[in-house]
Amino acid sequence: MKKSLWYESWKRFKKNKVSLFSGIYILVLCLIAVLAYQISPYSFDEQYMELILASPSLKHWLGNDSLGRDMLSRLIHGARMSMAIGIVTALISLIFGTIYGAVSGWIGGRTDMVLMRIIDLLYSIPTLVLLILVKVVFDSLDLFNHPELRALMGMLMALSVIGWVTLARMVRGQVLQIKQMSYIEAARSLGASPVRIVLKHILPNIMGPVIVLLTFQIPSNILYESFLSFLGLGLQPPFSSWGVLANEGWRSLRSYPHLIISPGFALFTAMLAFNLFGDGLRDAFDPQLKNK
Amino acid sequence: MDSLSKILSPIVFFVWVVLLVLNFLDHDLGASVWYGVLVLNCFYFLFFALYQNMVGYILKRLMGSLLTIWVIASVTFLLLRVLPGGPFDSEKALPDEVKAAIEAKYHLNDPLPKQYLTYLKGLLHGDLGESYKYLGRSITDIVKESFPASIQLGVFSLVLAYLLGIPIGVIAARFHNRWVDHILMAFAIGSVSVPSFLVAPILILVFCFWLQWLEPALWQGPSYYILPTLVLGTRSAAVIARLTRASVLEVIRSDFIRTGRAKGLSETKILFKHVLRNSLIPVLTFSGPLVAGIITGSFVVEQIFAIPGIGKHMVLSVSNRDYPLILGTTLLFSVLLVACNLIVDLLYAVVDPRIKVP
């Protein structure tokens, strides 16, 4: 029964060519990210002094930046950083959000109320403001000696803090709904422990919407990372992410448009692919939604 | 009573439209006009509150909002106060007298509970403390100076989002699964995906440098307002359009629409008179997250267009470790969002009288 549900979804998803293509594009991006060191033609921080701000050429396909570094290599390493941040933070929020939501929904009562008030509180601070705040706090804690590692970890922490809230809310709603079902009651009367019920009976049933939400979470995390880096509060050069590249590039738009066009375009296509992929997934998991 | 609301609602709406247009054309309206409008709006809500028996509900929500603000204010204060390292830590050690003078000035030597009380007392008087970086300037002054540009940008974008998003959503739903629908939705998903720092430079290049119609930076008149509003507003418009479309498609399948069709009403009349009003409720509930999104976007847009707004101050305050300013801006944005959520919840009851508030 369970298998056929996934199979049906896959069959529906396959029909949606746009989403399928987006999925393939995302896979290619992931591959690029993983193999960044192997496929990038140059090192991401090596300077070519005679090529400062050079336009695209045969040797440097996307030109060079203001310090003479090869843009294509920086873009590829930027993909590595952006994708890693997007996916890792989504996974952290997945784990924490699911546990939080499941506990809140399953226990209910006063615990639920307190846990939900905390979420309401986090919702009352605009996302970017909360991000900045968490990052300020984390950065001053000085947990890591290595400055680059500290910047990266601060980013991961900040994005994870904002990400889990939506997931927790959704999981709680689903758990509340499924809790009422008679098969849960049956499992309980057979003496199954709550942990077993949640893990074996509830979570598999809410995997669909959770996966869909996760697909939308990854691009929004990538976007927030690039916003922060663009504002100069995120990762710092020589680290390279799409936001860092955009930050370096947009000021010289009029004279050197290749510096902003390539990272902007990379981010745009990645966002588009994730959004289209997520739409397709949602339609595949919940066909009623599409027919409406 | 019902007819009174039918007269009152358009008046309030009309007043807001006039104010908005005047503001966009850069007329200086003066504070008294704004206070007058605010009072008018309070009366409007009071009228509905009495009418629909929801004074208790409003009071409860108001208390909840105040509590939220208090918790946010306290937690942020504690977080920023217990952080190791401060704005006055520099490579060169300060002379002891200077250090003592600074600490005395900002009450940094007081025990934490006393500092907290001083801070809360200040808050109640609308005093957010003094900046660490801009010596002698209070946070309240900085906010007063930079907030108008930010709120203008935000409101213009919000209005643009609704003006653009709702019609697009309705049209897309009307021509469901036809080429108009596909094109509009492709446009929508494109605008959701495109980062503002890609689209803004391109617009600046086209409209400011090539055509020379608009101004590329600062915030001094209508020709300065258009591009930032466009960049910030279209993204939200796309979200609204997708939401409206889904909502209209859902309402269009309900029984009372079928009845209308059976009665022989024209498709246009059904759409505008019966479908639209019912399908706007989910769109309205989304206003809270929408405002949050616009605040987020405004940081980047203010940076690109060099708008002297509050977002710029927040970004700078982080690099400067100007804790009172971080605290003040965080609090300000939270108050804004909480107030918006409150107003949306109240409007919710006004728009849909069927909804019984608890």
Side-chain angles (χ1 to χ4, degrees):
Chain A
M1 182 66 200
K2 206 172 81 187
K3 197 175 164 191
S4 80
L5 175 77
W6 290 97
Y7 181 67
E8 288 290 316
S9 305
W10 167 240
K11 238 174 44 184
R12 274 194 298 268
F13 183 74
K14 246 188 341 190
K15 272 197 217 129
N16 190 341
K17 292 288 175 248
V18 178
S19 301
L20 199 63
F21 184 74
S22 306
I24 294 171
Y25 183 71
I26 292 170
L27 277 183
V28 170
L29 275 184
C30 290
L31 221 62
I32 289 178
V34 172
L35 298 176
Y37 281 97
Q38 281 75 28
I39 58 172
S40 64
Y42 301 91
S43 156
F44 70 97
D45 55 358
E46 195 178 334
Q47 295 176 291
Y48 297 88
M49 288 308 186
E50 69 286 2
L51 285 172
I52 283 178
L53 291 168
S55 301
S57 62
L58 272 179
K59 272 181 103 175
H60 299 268
W61 289 358
L62 295 176
N64 297 66
D65 71 0
S66 58
L67 293 175
R69 294 172 293 199
D70 179 54
M71 271 304 280
L72 180 61
S73 308
R74 283 187 68 69
L75 200 65
I76 289 172
H77 281 274
R80 182 188 175 86
M81 201 53 90
S82 292
M83 294 291 282
I85 287 177
I87 291 173
V88 170
T89 47
L91 288 181
I92 297 176
S93 7
L94 169 74
I95 296 168
F96 194 63
T98 311
I99 295 175
Y100 192 96
V103 167
S104 181
W106 181 258
I107 297 179
R110 189 159 290 182
T111 318
D112 181 40
M113 208 196 75
V114 171
L115 290 181
M116 282 303 116
R117 281 296 89 77
I118 295 175
I119 283 191
D120 285 346
L121 216 62
L122 285 175
Y123 259 109
S124 310
I125 310 176
T127 321
L128 203 62
V129 177
L130 185 61
L131 256 178
I132 291 175
L133 204 64
V134 176
K135 200 148 179 319
V136 168
V137 171
F138 196 82
D139 282 353
S140 352
L141 285 180
D142 260 343
L143 289 183
F144 297 92
N145 283 328
H146 201 271
E148 291 178 353
L149 192 63
R150 189 164 61 217
L152 186 64
M153 290 309 286
M155 194 60 123
L156 287 180
M157 283 315 288
L159 284 168
S160 309
V161 167
I162 59 154
W164 66 272
V165 184
T166 330
L167 255 160
R169 227 182 211 187
M170 201 270 286
V171 168
R172 170 188 173 262
Q174 296 276 336
V175 169
L176 276 183
Q177 216 175 48
I178 291 181
K179 219 165 86 173
Q180 315 290 333
M181 303 277 182
S182 43
Y183 66 85
I184 300 296
E185 213 179 315
R188 210 189 297 188
S189 57
L190 284 174
S193 70
V195 176
R196 190 189 155 84
I197 292 179
V198 169
L199 285 182
K200 286 260 164 189
H201 299 284
I202 294 185
L203 284 187
N205 277 308
I206 62 173
M207 269 338 262
V210 167
I211 290 174
V212 172
L213 197 62
L214 212 60
T215 355
F216 287 116
Q217 197 114 63
I218 295 172
S220 88
N221 284 345
I222 293 178
L223 198 66
Y224 279 128
E225 184 275 325
S226 71
F227 274 4
L228 270 188
S229 297
F230 179 77
L231 293 173
L233 303 177
L235 299 177
Q236 305 290 338
F239 255 143
S240 161
S241 79
W242 291 333
V244 173
L245 292 179
N247 181 19
E248 290 173 351
W250 75 276
R251 282 165 213 279
S252 47
L253 165 86
R254 214 170 158 190
S255 337
Y256 310 104
H258 65 276
L259 293 184
I260 178 74
I261 297 290
S262 48
F265 194 71
L267 190 59
F268 172 52
T269 49
M271 293 292 113
L272 202 59
F274 271 111
N275 281 332
L276 289 170
F277 181 69
D279 277 356
L281 268 189
R282 188 183 49 201
D283 293 344
F285 278 123
D286 195 353
Q288 279 172 336
L289 220 69
K290 198 185 178 181
N291 295 337
K292 262 181 187 170
Chain B
M1 206 62 173
D2 210 35
S3 59
L4 192 56
S5 90
K6 263 190 185 146
I7 302 168
L8 207 58
S9 301
I11 291 179
V12 171
F13 187 68
F14 180 72
V15 167
W16 273 108
V17 170
V18 170
L19 280 181
L20 206 71
V21 172
L22 284 180
N23 194 275
F24 188 80
L25 296 176
D26 228 19
H27 276 262
D28 194 10
L29 290 164
S32 51
V33 176
W34 289 107
Y35 288 134
V37 173
L38 278 182
V39 170
L40 178 70
N41 270 269
C42 286
F43 272 123
Y44 177 66
F45 272 121
L46 202 66
F47 162 71
F48 272 103
L50 290 172
Y51 177 39
Q52 287 181 341
N53 236 342
M54 45 190 255
V55 176
Y57 170 72
I58 292 181
L59 281 181
K60 208 175 121 194
R61 285 299 318 266
L62 216 56
M63 292 309 292
S65 300
L66 284 178
L67 201 69
T68 309
I69 301 288
W70 173 68
V71 173
I72 291 175
S74 309
V75 171
T76 348
F77 172 82
L78 283 178
L79 272 180
L80 292 179
R81 208 35 66 97
V82 298
L83 283 183
F88 306 114
D89 291 349
S90 55
E91 307 270 314
K92 216 173 73 182
L94 290 169
D96 282 346
E97 308 89 80
V98 177
K99 210 169 175 187
I102 289 177
E103 281 174 353
K105 179 171 162 60
Y106 293 109
H107 308 286
L108 293 178
N109 271 340
D110 294 348
L112 203 60
K114 198 178 163 208
Q115 283 187 40
Y116 177 63
L117 281 182
T118 321
Y119 162 72
L120 272 193
K121 224 192 292 173
L123 267 193
L124 287 179
H125 291 99
D127 174 16
L128 292 164
E130 208 167 294
S131 164
Y132 285 171
K133 179 73 187 174
Y134 309 104
L135 288 181
R137 294 198 58 193
S138 72
I139 305 298
T140 321
D141 273 352
I142 297 178
V143 167
K144 260 188 197 154
E145 191 184 282
S146 55
F147 196 51
S150 289
I151 197 100
Q152 269 183 319
L153 174 63
V155 171
F156 293 156
S157 309
L158 202 64
V159 171
L160 181 76
Y162 282 115
L163 281 185
L164 214 62
I166 293 174
I168 288 180
V170 172
I171 292 171
R174 173 76 177 79
F175 299 101
H176 182 43
N177 269 343
R178 279 194 265 168
W179 62 269
V180 180
D181 180 25
H182 292 313
I183 286 179
L184 287 178
M185 282 305 109
F187 165 76
I189 204 160
S191 343
V192 172
S193 307
V194 71
S196 42
F197 49 71
L198 176 62
V199 77
I202 293 175
L203 287 179
I204 292 179
L205 208 59
V206 173
F207 287 102
C208 306
F209 293 144
W210 292 349
L211 298 173
Q212 305 215 326
W213 288 350
L214 303 167
E215 308 294 333
L218 296 180
W219 191 255
Q220 288 162 356
S223 64
Y224 295 84
Y225 300 162
I226 292 175
L227 279 188
T229 306
L230 210 62
V231 172
L232 190 53
T234 32
R235 195 187 149 80
S236 314
V239 179
I240 294 271
R242 282 163 63 104
L243 207 66
T244 311
R245 174 177 173 272
S247 169
V248 167
L249 287 179
E250 199 177 315
V251 174
I252 238 169
R253 310 192 131 229
S254 47
D255 288 340
F256 68 93
I257 298 301
R258 197 181 309 137
T259 312
R261 284 214 180 100
K263 222 169 69 173
L265 290 177
S266 75
E267 197 65 19
T268 324
K269 195 164 182 192
I270 289 178
L271 197 62
F272 284 101
K273 214 166 156 79
H274 300 280
V275 175
L276 195 58
R277 185 166 178 172
N278 284 295
S279 50
L280 282 187
I281 294 167
V283 179
L284 181 69
T285 22
F286 189 70
S287 298
L290 195 70
V291 169
I294 280 188
I295 291 174
T296 295
S298 72
F299 278 69
V300 176
V301 171
E302 281 181 16
Q303 175 95 347
I304 295 176
F305 290 94
I307 297 168
I310 195 102
K312 215 176 123 199
H313 275 298
M314 174 138 201
V315 173
L316 280 178
S317 67
V318 172
S319 331
N320 292 338
R321 288 191 153 196
D322 193 345
Y323 291 146
L325 194 51
I326 300 179
L327 193 57
T329 37
T330 304
L331 206 57
L332 183 74
F333 282 123
S334 306
V335 169
L336 207 63
L337 193 55
V338 169
C340 277
N341 282 331
L342 185 67
I343 292 173
V344 166
D345 279 2
L346 297 186
L347 271 182
Y348 199 60
V350 173
V351 171
D352 191 353
R354 289 171 307 179
I355 294 164
K356 281 274 173 285
V357 282

